[in-house]
Amino acid sequence: MNVARRLLLATLIAVLTGLALRAAAAQPQPVEPRIVSIGGAVTEILFALGMGERVVAVDQTSRYPAAARALPDVGYARALSPEGVLSVAPTLILAMEGAGPPSTMEVLKQASVPVVIIPDGHDQEAVLRKIAAVANAVGAQEKGRALAAEVSEDFAALDAMVKALPERPRAVFVLSASGGAAVVGGSDTSADAILKLAGLTNAMARIKGFKPALDEAAMSAEPEAVVVMRGGGQVLDAATVFALPAFAGTPAARDKRLVSLPGSYLLGFGPRTPRAARDLAAALHPGAKLPELPSRPWSAEPDQ
């Protein structure tokens, strides 16, 4: 090839490259969503789907992963203000069912930003529904199906472990103990659900919801263990809990059996719920050697 032809070819390539670049620049560029995520499970699912970089703000229950905790905080999920949520200029709001107050949610729904409500729930089916709902909202259905398959495998492994346990220790979940009165988790609560998943008997199942426990009722329930949350300002240690009249004379106090797990991990009912239940079961079935669940990229980070 002579010099003239080489120059002609180089010029042609340069012209075509320039035309291609101008054509690409002329095409409308996809706008990446700016997501406000309200609800710890919603946030965990978004990050597990690889959408964490699209999240611009979260609520106070979004404690995992660490990247979520570094984002702007729009407030407590049930006490949001429309100004706080809209101040980060979202183009999509994903909110767990129950987020509020209702007046705020009504204002947000009237705004020009799409609001998607993710159904809540505290069992395997509910967790899978959350994953599907979040994946559909962000157009990541295939990743959502893959994540749901992994979580289903984890639930199946947990179920096999729990069925093999020889006994169901009686445990009570304590939400708070301000003023010397313990608020415990009765039936139809997330606490009741995680105790059952872990192969435990909820000693306070006779009451419904999260309610103060009468001292006599708590003592007569004879819990063998107390389960509490940690993180988010929670300070419920064994000395504090077992000094309460409700628990002072129980087998749990006698044996100093108190288990503390991060709140969003324990009661979040997101993708890591089988792991939380497995860890709780391992802590309160010390004689059983429960295997670890398979390692997943979305659960590898240590919790708080």
Side-chain angles (χ1 to χ4, degrees), residues 78-276:
R78 298 183 186 276
L80 301 166
S81 73
E83 295 82 4
V85 175
L86 297 174
S87 67
V88 294
T91 60
L92 177 62
I93 299 170
L94 299 187
M96 184 61 71
E97 181 183 17
S103 58
T104 290
M105 300 309 296
E106 192 60 34
V107 172
L108 294 177
K109 290 175 182 176
Q110 297 298 322
S112 58
V113 181
V115 178
V116 178
I117 303 298
I118 307 301
D120 202 358
H122 306 124
D123 56 20
Q124 176 178 348
E125 289 71 25
V127 172
L128 298 181
R129 280 199 303 272
K130 294 175 193 178
I131 293 172
V134 173
N136 286 337
V138 298
Q141 290 88 345
E142 186 173 346
K143 290 182 177 178
R145 286 190 287 272
L147 176 60
E150 292 179 334
V151 174
S152 294
E153 290 175 5
D154 291 349
F155 268 111
L158 170 70
D159 185 57
M161 290 181 209
V162 170
K163 284 181 177 175
L165 293 171
E167 55 186 19
R168 301 287 187 271
R170 297 173 61 80
V172 59
F173 174 83
V174 177
L175 178 66
S176 64
S178 61
V183 175
V184 300
S187 58
D188 291 339
T189 64
S190 53
D192 182 69
I194 198 69
L195 293 178
K196 290 176 179 174
L197 281 174
L200 302 166
T201 299
N202 185 357
M204 301 304 296
R206 287 178 296 179
I207 66 173
K208 187 172 183 178
F210 289 100
K211 292 180 180 174
L214 297 176
D215 295 347
E216 297 79 7
M219 292 182 67
S220 64
E222 297 189 325
E224 301 167 77
V226 172
V227 180
V228 299
M229 298 187 297
R230 70 169 182 263
Q234 286 279 353
V235 183
L236 280 176
D237 55 20
T240 301
V241 171
F242 294 135
L244 297 172
F247 303 112
T250 64
R254 180 194 63 209
D255 299 333
K256 300 291 189 291
R257 298 186 77 188
L258 182 139
V259 177
S260 170
L261 290 173
S264 63
Y265 183 53
L266 185 67
L267 301 185
F269 280 85
R272 298 182 302 148
T273 287
R275 296 163 193 281

Side-chain angles (χ1 to χ4, degrees), residues 33 35 45-55 134 138-140 143:
I35 304 171
I45 293 168
L46 284 168
F47 277 82
L49 294 175
M51 302 294 288
E53 293 183 356
R54 312 286 173 82
V55 181
V134 173
V138 298
K143 290 182 177 178

